[in-house]
Structure formats: structure tokens, C-alpha cells
């Protein structure tokens, strides 16, 4: 290790560049605090790129009476949709009803039902599901999203791919979210508001010295170390939250995290409409089958305890078989193994509330301040959903601002993320305008750019008059201009960052094409750097 040099002094140092760390950094920077954030890999390289990608209330959490979480999440859906109509959009979910459908046996709802309706033996009557959906429609209030309807599966196109034993379904609303883009856009916005975002930078130690923290970070490529002095430390390490408490900050604490792995498979497209399915299994669990990236279907998720954050989660063969069998119980055509084109897995960093099963562990977030007398405070973040990240950040700031009396009030509700400064129903006209200005774009390419970058797509295309003006063409509509944007402004360093997190174009690229992009980026990377604060193009639009 090279000698430490004092690099900077900040109010707040955030460990972790997942959605929670980036959401908190953005909120805090917007209130006038000086903020630094360190992420040991790429932004969203852990759980925040491995979710089911839903802004949802979590219908099944009603079974656990997690009403606070469900209400907050339901309300949040439309606030978030308005702030990012490029990377989030409404979706309809079809829940096929069958009289034998079961939910998990140890939920509070199951226990009550087995007392009052013992003959049901864990099955759910249709009225109960309808009641749950009634609550779901009304708990959080809706202005944009349509409410629940009943669907005749024999007549509606959504019934076509399903087995004939399903006659009726309920259809309700939630929203899609491009999870890893959400993280990057929060990081960019935080930086535009003054935060320092350091990727590939690991926090190797955090030492409490009286009323400040001395934080040592290590650049993961050069191995150089730096010291930052901060008045408060925020531990948003996700699956590593406990490891950071015990081994990085070396604090004795009884707080624990429960690591629950969830895997997804991606198959070739299994049905020809844009609605999702919500399937109930015989084991009481639920999974989704979701239209994905135009030509694919996303199926997930599983729930399994995961022992060690340092073990990279992977979708096991048993999990992939389980998901295929589960969905094949509903679809007319069973899903063969070779329909799977990709799989991914992530670890939920849930607060350890001593729940008996991984499925039952609380999905709500828990924020704990650790402070002894006048010593510098530490805020530990446990749990949380992508859906509640903005509210989680506000709650975190509620714990942080007492230490910084000059910090501003809540501000993030109603403020667009970069590229999201257009109406919720404005995507189609943005695509059309883009195609008119840049006639060399086909529909797929224009749609992809608007969905990823919103109003900023034009900044990437600039003065291009033809494909040739976009620089080197890689594959699947990726060109040099876009890669340079991603490296300059969105912290991308490797092909993996680009094809699996800034986009999912890896689904359409060969190994050789990805390797070629990686080599190109390694060579180009020498000149690239993240956006300087005064270059932030979206800020005038806010
Ligand atoms: C399978 C699955 C499906 C899900 N589906 C949904 C869904 O549909 N909707 C929803 O709302 N939520 C969903 N979630 C929940 C949601 O994804 C997580 O709650 C959220 O992503 C957690 O974010 P985070 O920032 O806390 O953690 P992470 O994204 O894991 O971020 C923590 C970061 O800290 C970094 N880090 C750790 N230690 C250090 C260190 N010493 N120095 C520097 N950096 C460090 C890590 O590299 C990591 O990037 C799902 C979760 C899973 C696993």
C-alpha cells in the first residue's frame, strides 16, 4: 500500500453504490451536505441490478400484514413514475385464479384462515384474493395506474398461452423499473449536485477518531489508498452491511443481516402480449413471468438462504429447474431447458428479524444510528426495496440532519432524474421525434435510446446525420458515441458495465462481440472520466 494522503473532508461518507447508497447520496447532496460515495465495483454491481425490476407494493406482503411497507410502496410507484418516465412504465399483472391455489402456510393470514375456515387447508377463496386486490388498489391511492379487473381467460388474449384449466384471472397494476439505470441516474444526479462518486474504490477501514471518521479507501485497479475525513458514515453496503460494521468499522453490534438469494431465468419470448403473469405455486410461493427486452421472458424469483456475501450468487441448476417447472404448470407449452438464454441471481440484504423462513423475513427497511456520546455517528441501512429507495433516503436523512442543522428539507419528490423531464405518457412522441431528427435510427434503436436516456438521447446523438457519424459500430445498435457517453458520464469502465447494467444488450451479443467492446473500452478508458459537475446537461431542465 502506498502512504495515505489526506484527500478530502466531507460531511457524509456513503459506503456502497447500490440503490440505497446512491439514493441517499443524491438526497443529501441536494440538501447542501458535502458527500462522498465509494463503491468497490461498478455501480449496481450487486443486488441492485439483480432484482425482478418492479416498482411494486408487493401483493404477497399483505399476507404478512406488512401494511406500512405496502402502503408506502404503492404510493411511491406513481411519484417515481413521474420522475423517471423513461426507465419506468406501468404494467398489468395477470393473476390466474384456481380453487386449489395455496399461499405460504405460516403467514398471519394463513393462521387466521386455518382457524375460521379449517376446511380450506391453506387454499385461498376467490373473495379473499379479490379483497387483497381491493386493498392493493386503494391503500396507496392511484391517479395514473388503472385498478383491478376480472378477466375471462377463454376470451382474452392473455388466456391463450395458459392451460385450459384456468378460466378466470384478476388483472392489476404495478410498474417496471430498469433497476441498474436507476442507480446510475441517482449517482449522476448526486454528482451534479456536488457529491463525489468513486467507483471501483473499496472502503478498507473506517476508524472513529473522536467526532470524525477516518476512512481509508483503496482504488481497486491501482491499489492506491486515500484518506477521507467525514463527520458521519453511512453504511449502505447491502449484503456486506454486517461485514462493514464488524470488520471495516470494527464495531461490536448485535444487528444482523439475513442474506436471502433470489434467482431469475431469462427465456426466449414465451407469449405475445405486453402483460405479466403472477403465478401461485403449490408450495405457497409466487413467481412472475414478465415480457423482457422485447424478445425474451423473465421468470423469477426463488428464495434461499445465502450464507456468505463474499460468495457470488448464481442461479443453480436446481433453481432454474424449479422456475421452469413452476411456470410450466401454467403455460400450455412446457419450458424446455434450452429455452433459457441467461440467468442471474442476487442477494437480498434483509434485516434479521428472526423469521423462520427466507420467504417470511421482513422486506421492510430498518435504519439504525450507532453513536456513543459525542463520537462520530454511523448509520447502518438494512433491507429495503428498489421501490422504497427514495423514501428510505428521506428516512435516512431524517436521522442524518440532526447532526447537520443547516441541511435543507425533503426535496426529491417531484424532481426528475436525468433525462426524465417529460410527461409520463410522452415516450411514444419522444421516439417519433427522435426518428424524425435522426432518420437512420430504426424503431428498436430509437425506442432503446429513449427508454435508456429519455430527453438526453439527443445529447448522445448530437449532430449525427448518418450511422457513419456515430463512430465505430459495435453490435446490437451500440456505437462509439454511446459508449463514450457511458464512459464519460455514467461511470462505465468495462463491456460488462455496458452490456449487463447500463443496458441488457448482452442478450443480443456474442462473447466475441463483448470481448471486442471490452478491448476497445480498455484502450479508450485512458482518456475518459466521470462528468464534471458544471457539465451536467440536465440540471437546467430541472
Ligand atoms: C432476487 C431479488 C429480486 C428483487 N426484486 C425487487 C423488485 O422487484 N422490486 C423491489 O422494489 N425490490 C426488489 N428487490 C430488492 C432490492 O433489489 C434490494 O433491496 C436493493 O437492490 C438493495 O440495494 P442496496 O443498495 O441496499 O444493496 P446493493 O445493491 O447490494 O448495494 C450495496 C453495494 O455496496 C458495495 N460495497 C459493499 N462493501 C463495500 C466496501 N467495503 N466498499 C465499497 N463498496 C462496498 C457493494 O459492491 C454493492 O454494490 C429484489 C431483490 C432480490 C435479491
Amino acid at each position: 500500500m502506498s502512504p495515505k494522503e489526506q484527500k478530502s473532508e466531507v460531511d457524509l461518507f456513503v459506503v456502497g453504490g447500490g440503490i440505497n447508497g446512491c439514493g441517499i447520496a443524491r438526497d443529501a447532496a441536494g440538501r447542501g451536505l458535502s458527500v462522498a460515495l465509494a463503491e468497490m465495483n461498478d455501480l449496481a454491481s450487486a443486488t441492485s441490478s439483480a432484482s425482478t425490476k418492479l416498482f411494486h407494493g408487493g401483493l404477497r406482503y399483505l399476507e404478512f400484514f406488512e401494511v406500512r411497507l405496502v402502503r408506502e410502496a404503492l404510493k411511491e410507484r406513481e411519484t417515481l413514475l413521474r420522475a423517471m418516465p423513461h426507465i419506468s412504465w406501468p404494467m398489468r399483472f395477470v393473476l390466474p385464479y384456481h380453487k386449489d391455489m395455496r399461499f405460504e402456510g405460516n403467514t398471519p393470514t394463513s393462521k387466521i384462515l386455518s382457524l375460521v375456515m379449517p376446511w380450506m387447508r391453506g387454499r385461498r377463496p376467490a373473495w379473499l384474493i379479490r379483497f387483497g386486490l381491493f386493498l392493493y388498489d386503494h391503500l396507496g391511492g392511484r391517479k395514473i395506474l388503472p385498478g383491478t379487473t376480472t378477466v375471462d381467460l377463454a376470451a382474452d388474449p392473455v388466456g391463450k398461452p395458459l392451460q385450459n384449466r384456468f378460466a378466470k384471472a384478476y388483472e392489476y397494476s404495478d410498474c417496471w423499473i430498469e433497476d441498474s439505470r436507476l442507480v446510475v441516474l441517482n449517482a449522476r444526479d448526486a454528482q451534479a449536485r456536488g457529491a463525489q462518486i468513486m467507483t471501483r474504490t473499496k472502503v478498507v477501514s473506517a476508524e472513529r477518531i473522536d467526532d470524525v471518521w477516518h476512512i481509508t479507501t483503496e482504488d481497486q485497479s491501482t491499489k492506491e489508498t486515500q484518506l477521507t475525513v467525514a463527520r458521519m458514515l453511512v453504511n449502505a453496503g447491502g449484503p456486506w452491511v454486517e461485514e462493514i460494521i464488524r470488520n471495516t468499522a470494527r464495531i461490536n453490534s448485535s444487528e444482523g443481516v439475513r442474506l436471502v438469494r433470489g434467482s431469475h431465468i431469462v427465456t426466449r419470448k414465451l407469449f405475445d402480449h405486453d402483460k405479466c403473469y403472477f403465478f401461485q405455486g403449490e408450495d405457497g410461493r409466487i413467481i412472475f413471468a414478465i415480457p423482457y427486452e422485447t424478445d425474451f421472458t423473465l421468470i423469477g424469483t426463488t428464495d434461499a438462504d445465502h450464507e456468505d456475501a463474499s460468495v457470488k450468487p448464481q442461479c443453480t441448476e436446481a433453481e432454474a429447474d424449479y422456475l421452469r417447472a413452476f411456470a410450466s404448470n401454467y403455460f400450455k407449452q412446457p419450458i424446455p431447458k434450452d429455452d433459457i438464454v441467461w440467468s442471474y441471481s442476487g442477494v437480498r440484504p434483509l434485516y434479521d428479524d428472526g423469521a423462520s423462513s427466507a420467504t417470511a423475513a421482513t422486506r421492510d427497511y430498518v435504519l439504525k444510528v450507532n453513536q456513543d456520546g459525542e463520537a462520530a455517528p454511523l448509520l447502518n441501512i438494512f433491507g429495503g426495496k428498489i421501490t422504497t429507495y427514495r423514501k428510505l433516503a428521506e428516512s435516512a436523512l431524517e436521522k442524518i440532519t440532526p447532526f447537520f442543522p443547516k441541511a435543507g428539507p425533503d426535496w426529491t419528490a417531484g424532481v426528475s432524474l436525468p433525462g426524465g423531464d417529460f410527461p409520463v405518457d410522452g415516450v411514444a412522441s419522444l421516439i417519433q421525434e427522435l426518428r424524425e431528427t435522426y432518420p437512420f435510427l430504426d424503431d428498436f434503436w430509437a425506442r432503446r435510446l429513449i427508454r435508456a436516456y429519455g430527453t438526453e438521447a439527443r445529447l448522445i446523438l448530437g449532430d449525427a446525420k448518418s450511422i457513419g457519424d456515430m463512430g465505430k459500430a459495435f453490435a446490437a445498435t451500440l456505437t462509439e458515441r454511446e459508449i463514450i457517453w457511458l464512459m464519460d458520464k455514467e461511470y462505465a469502465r468495462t463491456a460488462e458495465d455496458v452490456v449487463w447494467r447500463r443496458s441488457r444488450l448482452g442478450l443480443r451479443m456474442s462473447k466475441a462481440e463483448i470481448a471486442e467492446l471490452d478491448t476497445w473500452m480498455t484502450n479508450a478508458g485512458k482518456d475518459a472520466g466521470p462528468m464534471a459537475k458544471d457539465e451536467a446537461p440536465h440540471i437546467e431542465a430541472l
Side-chain angles (χ1 to χ4, degrees):
M1 277 213 262
S2 61
K4 289 180 203 172
E5 67 183 69
Q6 176 147 334
K7 188 187 173 196
S8 54
E9 264 183 46
V10 291
D11 293 328
L12 208 64
F13 193 102
V14 181
V15 192
I19 190 53
N20 289 329
C22 292
I24 292 169
R26 175 189 186 228
D27 192 333
R31 292 176 199 241
L33 299 188
S34 57
V35 180
L37 178 147
E39 163 53 52
M40 64 182 172
N41 295 311
D42 182 26
L43 295 172
S45 52
T47 314
S48 297
S49 57
S51 79
T52 310
K53 307 171 205 317
L54 302 178
F55 277 155
H56 64 159
L59 187 54
R60 75 174 195 84
Y61 310 141
L62 283 177
E63 286 259 319
F64 292 90
F65 295 167
E66 294 227 36
V67 177
R68 193 213 71 78
L69 169 68
V70 177
R71 181 187 286 121
E72 180 174 285
L74 286 171
K75 265 173 121 168
E76 237 345 63
R77 294 176 307 182
E78 294 197 4
T79 306
L80 298 173
L81 191 55
R82 285 197 178 89
M84 53 196 87
H86 46 339
I87 59 168
S88 176
W89 55 90
M91 272 196 161
R92 296 289 282 169
F93 288 75
V94 177
L95 190 165
Y97 178 73
H98 193 263
K99 66 179 173 33
D100 282 335
M101 66 179 26
R102 281 181 164 73
F103 286 63
E104 221 209 347
N106 66 354
T107 71
T109 309
S110 291
K111 286 175 188 154
I112 292 171
L113 268 184
S114 63
L115 272 180
V116 295
M117 297 172 75
W119 61 91
M120 290 300 286
R121 295 205 194 125
R123 291 184 305 247
R124 292 293 180 270
W127 63 262
L128 187 70
I129 293 179
R130 193 67 190 81
F131 177 65
L133 287 164
F134 173 84
L135 287 180
Y136 206 73
D137 275 350
H138 292 93
L139 267 178
R142 288 170 294 109
K143 291 208 172 74
I144 302 169
L145 301 174
T148 301
T149 53
T150 305
V151 182
D152 173 1
L153 291 175
D156 195 291
V158 296
K160 218 170 145 202
L162 299 179
Q163 292 170 17
N164 295 335
R165 67 195 174 101
F166 300 105
K168 177 167 116 173
Y170 299 109
E171 199 181 289
Y172 69 95
S173 292
D174 265 323
C175 299
W176 179 258
I177 175 64
E178 299 285 2
D179 54 3
S180 38
R181 292 212 53 75
L182 175 69
V183 178
V184 168
L185 294 184
N186 270 278
R188 277 192 53 202
D189 205 42
Q191 180 164 331
R193 294 171 195 280
Q196 188 193 355
I197 306 290
M198 298 171 278
T199 62
R200 273 123 183 152
T201 304
K202 182 172 182 175
V203 175
V204 288
S205 83
E207 207 180 335
R208 208 177 223 161
I209 300 181
D210 303 326
D211 58 352
V212 289
W213 285 95
H214 280 207
I215 297 146
T216 306
T217 52
E218 183 187 72
D219 182 311
Q220 295 302 278
S221 35
T222 62
K223 297 293 169 200
E224 276 169 17
T225 59
Q226 283 180 322
L227 177 70
T228 305
V229 176
R231 288 185 55 205
M232 185 164 183
L233 184 64
V234 175
N235 173 4
W240 291 267
V241 61
E242 200 178 316
E243 151 85 17
I244 292 167
I245 297 173
R246 292 190 209 300
N247 299 330
T248 311
R250 289 195 216 95
I251 285 174
N252 264 335
S253 161
S254 56
E255 308 295 349
V257 67
R258 180 161 188 175
L259 302 179
V260 177
R261 189 178 69 244
S263 297
H264 292 81
I265 53 173
V266 175
T267 66
R268 64 168 183 85
K269 187 175 181 168
L270 298 177
F271 48 89
D272 240 343
H273 57 77
D274 61 0
K275 295 179 180 170
C276 312
Y277 292 104
F278 177 113
F279 294 149
Q280 221 92 49
E282 282 155 9
D283 57 357
R285 293 196 63 261
I286 65 112
I287 60 163
F288 296 101
I290 305 176
Y292 189 53
E293 296 286 326
T294 315
D295 298 316
F296 305 93
T297 301
L298 175 66
I299 302 176
T301 174
T302 54
D303 270 316
D305 280 313
H306 190 80
E307 289 310 314
D308 184 353
S310 66
V311 176
K312 192 173 160 38
Q314 273 178 336
C315 177
T316 62
E317 202 162 324
E319 284 176 299
D321 288 347
Y322 168 84
L323 291 171
R324 273 191 313 118
F326 199 140
S328 300
N329 252 335
Y330 278 81
F331 288 123
K332 276 185 190 138
Q333 300 292 330
I335 304 166
K337 219 177 208 164
D338 56 11
D339 266 10
I340 300 177
V341 296
W342 188 51
S343 65
Y344 64 84
S345 193
V347 176
R348 301 174 184 88
L350 305 181
Y351 184 66
D352 193 354
D353 61 356
S356 55
S357 78
T359 312
T362 182
R363 263 54 175 170
D364 210 345
Y365 52 81
V366 176
L367 311 180
K368 296 273 182 177
V369 178
N370 175 295
Q371 194 197 21
D372 209 355
E374 294 299 301
L378 162 68
L379 175 63
N380 293 312
I381 313 287
F382 298 91
K385 308 271 305 160
I386 297 263
T387 315
T388 49
Y389 89 92
R390 195 195 64 81
K391 291 298 287 182
L392 182 150
E394 274 184 358
S395 306
L397 265 294
E398 216 171 276
K399 307 242 179 234
I400 292 167
T401 49
F403 300 100
F404 303 97
K406 288 198 182 131
D410 291 354
W411 64 275
T412 52
V415 179
S416 314
L417 283 177
D421 49 342
F422 67 94
V424 167
D425 58 359
V427 160
S429 51
L430 275 186
I431 294 172
Q432 196 189 334
E433 282 162 31
L434 202 70
R435 289 196 69 185
E436 279 163 18
T437 317
Y438 302 98
F440 59 88
L441 298 176
D442 63 16
D443 183 65
F444 172 83
W445 193 356
R447 183 173 300 277
R448 182 177 77 71
L449 292 177
I450 293 297
R451 277 294 179 206
Y453 307 105
T455 52
E456 292 192 332
R458 284 173 175 274
L459 300 177
I460 298 173
L461 292 157
D463 59 359
K465 298 272 179 291
S466 67
I467 293 189
D469 293 337
M470 295 297 291
K472 184 172 169 54
F474 294 95
T477 69
L478 265 180
T479 62
E480 189 174 333
R481 277 204 190 191
E482 187 175 352
I483 302 296
I484 288 177
W485 169 277
L486 291 173
M487 295 180 77
D488 274 357
K489 311 219 189 293
E490 296 199 3
Y491 318 92
R493 286 289 167 271
T494 67
E496 188 188 316
D497 303 349
V498 171
V499 307
W500 294 118
R501 285 184 287 276
R502 304 306 180 279
S503 74
R504 311 276 171 183
L505 288 172
L507 288 168
R508 299 169 188 280
M509 292 171 72
S510 67
K511 278 192 178 142
E513 287 166 339
I514 295 172
E516 188 200 356
L517 175 62
D518 205 47
T519 308
W520 191 91
M521 287 179 71
T522 307
N523 294 332
K526 288 155 201 151
D527 312 320
M531 171 181 65
K533 185 185 170 195
D534 54 7
E535 283 174 48
H538 68 283
I539 213 87
E540 303 92 71
L542 294 176

